[in-house]
Amino acid sequence: MLELAILKKKAVDLLCQLIETQSFSGEEDKTADIIFNFLTDHGATAHRQNNNVWSIHPGFDENKKTILLNSHHDTVKFGSSWTYDALKATIEGDKLVGLGSNDAGASAVSLLATYINFLNEDLPFNLIVAITAEEESSGELNVASILPNLPKIDLGIVGEPTQMDIAIAERGLVVMDVTVKGKTGHAARNEGINAISEAVEVINWFHTYQFQKISDMLGPVKMTVTQINAGKQHNVVPDECNLVVDCRVNELYSNQEVVDIIKDNLPKVDIIARSLRLNSSRISENHPIVQKGIELGCMTYGSPTMSDQAMMNFETVKMGPGDSARSHTPDEYIYLSEIEHGIERYISLLNGFSF
């Protein structure tokens, strides 16, 4: 087994390599190569499907429960307001600046280091590490695409920037295309039914409606009208107004239930959900992994942001180095000490763990 100090350095070196290899969501082939080679170079058996890379601990026993360590290696595209070279790993003291450093490169390399740490140990559970693609775009070739090829998983630890605290609940997401109908007429005369005027009432409903079930961890279901489009020329009363609604669902509702409630309240409006697969999640505070984290000093909370947890139909926690507030921001960064602490806490979390 590698000394912990060496393992930490290898994780940082790997992160620098990943930062300097473009991996926009859907274009992660080169970083998948790097991760595959990192695993094989350290004695693990690596598997790959599209740009998803995983390894199963050599001591796999179907009679044991299985833990999945998962994070993603794709990034969003960077904007013009970066003052650093986004695709260069810049280290200034304890600070490492670069695209994907915080979201979620630090989690990915910390989980890989943790997996390598346990590679030659006899564990009371099965361990799988999977560093996957298309998380940022919720693409079809993300972690969900490989889950059917993996053994049954009992617990997932999803690496995202949480300051190594444990998110035990996460909001789901439904994006809806909403069409409000009217009737065309000449704008100079009192003709037609203005779909924009009709839409005002609908928009107000989305802004003011309160779902009955309020989560103690995530709060109420939150709906926001984020886009609006109507009209083709200035002198024609528009007969259609199209809205996009972003709905963040707490764990007390399924996405389908939320959509059904909305349709019941707006029967004259056309509502189409783009997808129902990004559901909310929650794990009990009494779960052994949560209790072990609390013993280690982790705080528990509900996360407003979505991750690949939404793709998993088994119990999960979200936990990783870094701060979510830095994600998708100019000059994104991680502290090297956060990576070191992340590796230590992941290892401590799994050391001696049992279901």
Side-chain angles (χ1 to χ4, degrees), residues 211-230:
F211 286 82
Q212 290 184 351
K213 300 176 186 177
I214 299 175
S215 166
D216 61 335
M217 188 66 66
L218 295 172
V221 174
K222 183 177 183 295
M223 298 187 291
T224 308
V225 178
T226 55
Q227 292 176 257
I228 183 169
N229 183 55

Side-chain angles (χ1 to χ4, degrees), residues 36 39 45-49 52-56:
F36 188 97
L39 284 164
T45 299
H47 306 272
R48 178 171 177 173
Q49 180 177 308
N52 303 289
V53 180
W54 72 93
S55 178
I56 301 173

Side-chain angles (χ1 to χ4, degrees), residues 178-197:
V178 177
T179 303
V180 182
K181 297 288 187 178
K183 182 179 178 181
T184 57
H186 199 297
R189 296 187 291 270
N190 189 23
E191 293 179 346
I193 300 172
N194 193 320
I196 295 175
S197 300

Side-chain angles (χ1 to χ4, degrees), residues 13-27:
D13 291 345
L14 175 61
L15 179 54
C16 291
Q17 195 177 1
L18 293 174
I19 289 169
E20 296 189 348
T21 306
Q22 181 178 299
S23 56
F24 300 146
S25 198
E27 305 173 19

Side-chain angles (χ1 to χ4, degrees), residues 64-326:
K64 296 178 180 178
K65 291 188 176 182
T66 300
I67 298 174
L68 172 68
L69 308 178
N70 168 250
S71 190
H72 64 93
H73 62 103
D74 62 315
T75 72
V76 297
K77 294 183 177 180
F78 58 90
S80 60
S81 51
W82 274 71
T83 62
Y84 289 77
D85 184 342
L87 298 179
K88 185 176 186 303
T90 303
I91 298 178
E92 298 175 344
D94 188 39
K95 190 176 186 179
L96 170 57
V97 181
L99 182 67
S101 56
N102 180 76
D103 182 16
S107 293
V109 301
S110 296
L111 288 171
L112 285 164
T114 300
Y115 178 78
I116 297 301
N117 178 78
F118 288 112
L119 190 60
N120 297 315
E121 290 194 19
D122 184 20
L123 299 173
F125 49 81
N126 298 314
L127 193 61
I128 301 173
V129 66
I131 309 301
T132 49
E134 297 192 14
E135 189 272 348
E136 296 291 4
S137 60
S138 298
E140 294 294 331
L141 300 180
N142 66 3
V143 66
S145 69
I146 67 166
L147 290 178
N149 301 326
L150 301 182
K152 177 182 176 293
I153 295 167
D154 300 280
L155 173 67
I157 299 174
V158 178
E160 290 281 349
T162 71
Q163 298 180 312
M164 290 311 291
D165 287 324
I166 298 180
I168 63 172
E170 180 185 80
R171 285 188 179 274
L173 170 65
V174 184
V175 178
M176 289 167 284
D177 293 300
V178 177
T179 303
V180 182
K181 297 288 187 178
K183 182 179 178 181
T184 57
H186 199 297
R189 296 187 291 270
N190 189 23
E191 293 179 346
I193 300 172
N194 193 320
I196 295 175
S197 300
E198 297 294 305
V200 170
E201 184 177 347
V202 174
I203 292 169
N204 285 336
W205 183 87
F206 277 113
H207 285 172
T208 58
Y209 182 79
Q210 296 292 316
F211 286 82
Q212 290 184 351
K213 300 176 186 177
I214 299 175
S215 166
D216 61 335
M217 188 66 66
L218 295 172
V221 174
K222 183 177 183 295
M223 298 187 291
T224 308
V225 178
T226 55
Q227 292 176 257
I228 183 169
N229 183 55
K232 295 178 181 176
Q233 60 190 68
H234 76 89
N235 59 347
V236 177
V237 172
D239 63 349
E240 188 172 290
C241 183
N242 298 300
L243 313 173
V244 176
V245 178
D246 178 294
C247 183
R248 304 289 168 156
V249 183
N250 66 29
E251 82 283 10
L252 303 178
Y253 293 94
S254 70
N255 288 351
Q256 184 65 66
E257 287 174 323
V258 165
V259 172
D260 289 344
I261 290 169
I262 294 170
K263 287 183 175 180
D264 287 344
N265 279 272
L266 298 172
K268 296 181 180 180
V269 177
D270 292 335
I271 298 168
I272 299 175
R274 294 181 182 178
S275 171
L276 296 173
R277 66 180 182 148
L278 304 177
N279 281 287
S280 57
S281 64
R282 180 146 185 186
I283 191 170
S284 170
E285 276 196 274
N286 295 321
H287 191 285
I289 199 70
V290 179
Q291 288 299 306
K292 182 74 179 290
I294 292 171
E295 289 173 13
L296 293 171
C298 299
M299 302 290 288
T300 60
Y301 72 103
S303 174
T305 57
M306 198 185 64
S307 72
D308 275 339
Q309 278 183 287
M311 306 293 172
M312 300 175 183
N313 61 353
F314 43 84
E315 291 186 301
T316 56
V317 294
K318 183 161 67 177
M319 177 184 188
D323 188 335
S324 180
R326 302 176 203 151

